[in-house]
Amino acid sequence: SEAGPPRVKVPCISWVPVLGSLPWLRGGRPLHLIFTQLSYSYGPLFALYLGPHLTVVVNNHQHAREVLLLRGKDFAGRPRMVTTDLLTRGGKDIAFSDYCPLWKSHRRLVQNSFTLFGEGTSRLQDMVLAAVDSLCEELLSMEGRGFDPAPAVTRAVTNVVCMLVFSATYRHGDSELQEVLRYNDGIVQTIAGGGLVDIYPWMKVFPNKTLSKLKACIAVRDRLLTHKLEEHKATLTDNQPRDLLDALLMGQVEDIITEDHVLMTAAEAFGAGVETTSTTLLWILAYLLHHPQVQERVQKELDDHVGSERPVRVSDRARLTYLDCVINEGMRIRPVSPVLIPHTAMTDSSIGGHHISRGTRVLVNMWSIHHDSAHWDKPDLFNPDRFRDHQGQRVTPSCFLPFGAGPRVCVGESLARLELFLFLSSLLQRMSFRLPNGASPPDLQGRMGVVLQPVPYKVVVTPRVG
Ligand code: HEM
Ligand code: PLO
């Protein structure tokens, strides 16, 4: 029988006032790597002070399951952070809003709106396929030359999100699209240098360049989105919603969800939709350059099940199991969000029998869970086959959680998976990627911005003759 609440405390790394444990963290390296290193000496569950904030770091998957699923509600809070408060008007979005009844209905509304466009209709597929077509055209026009695929990929993914959120279709070089790309880039550069963990909350008291650039980019974003919102309000009918913005406006039945919330949701779907998906695609391409035989196997699978006469469709997904494994392996080995978004304890609770008091920040280090050698054979090796069994059936290990889990699980997971599938299958059906002559393969360390991204690299594209 249990003898009351657990009293055992989580082992804590040394700390000093103001700086917290910072002097004990070998600076310069990304936090997920520092945490993984610390877990070797302190054990998989340890605490530290990030600035003034008591933070517990979870490095093993049983503990992660307690935090995200078993006691998901206890840990469903979000801390306030200086930059994300600016970004979301004090948490009027989904990702950075604290847990409360309003957030719950807001999140449900967004989820329903996604379902409306995502799984339910073929419209999303058509949108993605249109964007993929022009991406392929653009990439193939570079034939023979080495180039960085990032700008074209980002533009294509941005186009999909623009269609999804406010029905805009842009032609190459459109000035509004350029504006979107520019402000988004500015936010990405300024919002978080080393992940979304606010180690320096005192930053806000000093006027600084980064913060003013962030504010300027947010102002551009808000002007553009407010314009879209007004247009949508003026042309809204009782018919089918045309896009996410319509769906949000129509779902605004009770006025607890304000226009600010609608605006912040659109902005977030945007940011989340672009950064994560394009970065994941670029990681997978980088790994394919390192492992040409994996690319060949995907192409063989495409030839066997789809051929070259017609575009790949969502309905092909069930048969293209190897491609699915490649996507999963990419998200395992390089999770774009290696410590998820910080969680906070809403009440006194526990992890692994250790006491956690209310208000404690909790970081789930998905990086160390995805590289845990107790659960993965040679975790540093890119090996898509680990997601299939001997009969070629898909397997999903329980220590694989690139989208998180529980009450805070990513709301865009099925949209993201659909995009990753359609983009990669269409690209590899029509072209092959290789290194430019004499170039060394891409650096796989990556660098930590708002997401973990690959260092820019170059590819050469050759058309596949069908
Ligand atoms: C949250 C991963 C794509 C919207 C998250 C979280 C992760 C994640 C790890 C945090 C979970 C947590 O804090 O416990 C990914 C990955 C993606 C992806 C790997 C693509 C490969 C998308 C897309 C959208 C989206 C396409 C929307 C269009 C969101 C939102 C949240 C979120 C709104 C916040 C949920 C909440 O706090 O309640 N995602 N995501 N994501 N994601 Fe994604
Ligand atoms: C990316 C830059 C955009 O301009 C604003 C934005 C909104 C939502 C954020 C996203 C940024 C980065 C990736 C995030 C996403 C919410 C969920 C997603 C943090 C900051 C992940 C990977 O967790």
Side-chain angles (χ1 to χ4, degrees):
S1 66
E2 295 241 330
R7 294 261 161 258
V8 195
K9 281 194 172 168
V10 178
C12 189
I13 291 167
S14 311
W15 57 283
V16 291
V18 186
L19 288 177
S21 309
L22 230 50
W24 285 267
L25 310 181
R26 257 158 302 150
R29 300 175 66 220
L31 277 182
H32 59 275
L33 296 180
I34 298 179
F35 292 158
T36 305
Q37 193 75 47
L38 287 170
S39 75
Y40 300 147
S41 30
Y42 288 83
L45 187 70
F46 59 83
L48 78 174
Y49 279 83
L50 291 176
H53 306 295
L54 173 62
T55 308
V56 166
V57 183
V58 170
N59 292 277
N60 104 358
H61 97 280
Q62 278 93 353
H63 292 162
R65 293 195 157 260
E66 288 181 32
V67 170
L68 301 174
L69 291 162
L70 249 58
R71 282 184 285 288
K73 214 180 143 186
D74 288 3
F75 296 103
R78 294 286 194 213
R80 309 202 61 157
M81 296 182 278
V82 180
T83 50
T84 58
D85 262 359
L86 279 172
L87 186 73
T88 65
R89 302 194 179 164
K92 294 197 173 66
D93 67 328
I94 306 290
F96 303 109
S97 157
D98 206 359
Y99 187 93
C100 62
L102 170 54
W103 169 82
K104 277 183 87 167
S105 33
H106 186 190
R107 189 181 147 109
R108 200 173 316 117
L109 170 59
V110 174
Q111 252 163 342
N112 293 342
S113 313
F114 272 158
T115 316
L116 214 56
F117 293 103
E119 300 96 87
T121 66
S122 62
R123 270 182 56 206
L124 184 63
Q125 167 169 261
D126 297 340
M127 290 179 189
V128 180
L129 288 178
V132 171
D133 272 346
S134 51
L135 174 63
C136 287
E137 215 175 286
E138 194 180 341
L139 297 182
L140 285 170
S141 75
M142 298 297 290
E143 200 186 331
R145 276 169 290 166
F147 66 99
D148 178 0
V153 168
T154 307
R155 207 174 316 119
V157 174
T158 305
N159 242 322
V160 173
V161 178
C162 287
M163 285 190 246
L164 181 75
V165 177
F166 46 72
S167 311
T169 47
Y170 296 117
R171 303 174 72 79
H172 192 95
D174 186 286
S175 65
E176 192 171 274
L177 177 62
Q178 297 300 334
E179 188 175 37
V180 171
L181 289 164
R182 210 169 29 241
Y183 84 65
N184 192 55
D185 196 50
I187 297 178
V188 168
Q189 282 171 23
T190 50
I191 190 147
L196 279 162
V197 181
D198 207 2
I199 319 186
Y200 309 108
W202 56 85
M203 263 220 333
K204 69 173 165 217
V205 298
F206 307 114
N208 67 65
K209 267 209 193 110
T210 309
L211 225 47
S212 38
K213 179 170 174 192
L214 175 61
K215 284 180 188 157
C217 290
I218 290 174
V220 176
R221 176 198 73 176
D222 289 352
R223 186 155 27 81
L224 193 136
L225 285 177
T226 308
H227 178 67
K228 297 286 177 202
L229 186 70
E230 294 304 327
E231 266 180 8
H232 276 68
K233 279 201 312 204
T235 54
L236 195 65
T237 66
D238 293 335
N239 299 333
Q240 275 282 314
R242 295 161 292 185
D243 46 35
L244 183 71
L245 216 45
D246 267 6
L248 291 171
L249 286 169
M250 291 164 90
Q252 236 190 324
V253 269
E254 310 126 82
D255 32 312
I256 48 164
I257 295 172
T258 64
E259 214 166 278
D260 262 16
H261 287 94
V262 173
L263 209 66
M264 292 304 114
T265 311
E268 188 159 284
F270 227 93
V274 173
E275 281 319 295
T276 53
T277 314
S278 55
T279 305
T280 305
L281 285 170
L282 291 166
W283 273 123
I284 295 173
L285 279 186
Y287 274 96
L288 292 182
L289 294 176
H290 277 263
H291 301 273
Q293 77 283 9
V294 172
Q295 172 169 229
E296 277 160 31
R297 275 177 73 184
V298 174
Q299 287 172 329
K300 166 107 182 33
E301 188 181 60
L302 282 160
D303 292 345
D304 290 349
H305 295 287
V306 182
S308 57
E309 301 297 310
R310 61 166 181 90
V312 187
R313 288 187 290 262
V314 178
S315 53
D316 295 315
R317 202 163 132 190
R319 267 163 288 145
L320 298 173
T321 51
Y322 188 65
L323 175 58
D324 232 33
C325 296
V326 170
I327 294 174
N328 280 343
E329 180 65 346
M331 294 195 289
R332 179 194 70 83
I333 201 161
R334 289 297 177 268
V336 293
S337 193
V339 294
L340 312 187
I341 301 175
H343 288 244
T344 59
M346 309 288 298
T347 58
D348 284 0
S349 187
S350 71
I351 306 175
H354 295 73
H355 175 76
I356 305 288
S357 42
R358 180 179 170 187
T360 306
R361 295 185 175 195
V362 180
L363 298 178
V364 177
N365 189 0
M366 205 48 77
W367 176 277
S368 56
I369 295 167
H370 282 182
H371 289 84
D372 186 346
S373 54
H375 293 275
W376 305 97
D377 180 40
K378 304 200 187 79
D380 295 324
L381 191 75
F382 183 76
N383 171 21
D385 283 320
R386 57 173 100 245
F387 287 92
R388 293 208 289 197
D389 64 16
H390 296 299
Q391 277 94 49
Q393 296 295 309
R394 293 171 165 83
V395 288
T396 311
S398 59
C399 339
F400 176 63
L401 294 171
F403 295 95
R408 285 288 182 171
V409 68
C410 175
V411 294
E413 172 166 358
S414 49
L415 172 63
R417 284 191 171 278
L418 183 128
E419 281 194 74
L420 293 172
F421 169 76
L422 285 176
F423 268 94
L424 280 169
S425 58
S426 310
L427 288 173
L428 293 171
Q429 180 193 37
R430 296 176 217 180
M431 64 191 83
S432 300
F433 295 86
R434 65 169 176 85
L435 288 169
N437 290 336
S440 39
D443 175 303
L444 296 174
Q445 288 279 291
R447 46 168 196 221
M448 197 58 212
V450 63
V451 292
L452 177 67
Q453 46 186 200
V455 175
Y457 58 86
K458 290 200 165 127
V459 294
V460 170
V461 162
T462 44
R464 294 189 72 217
V465 274

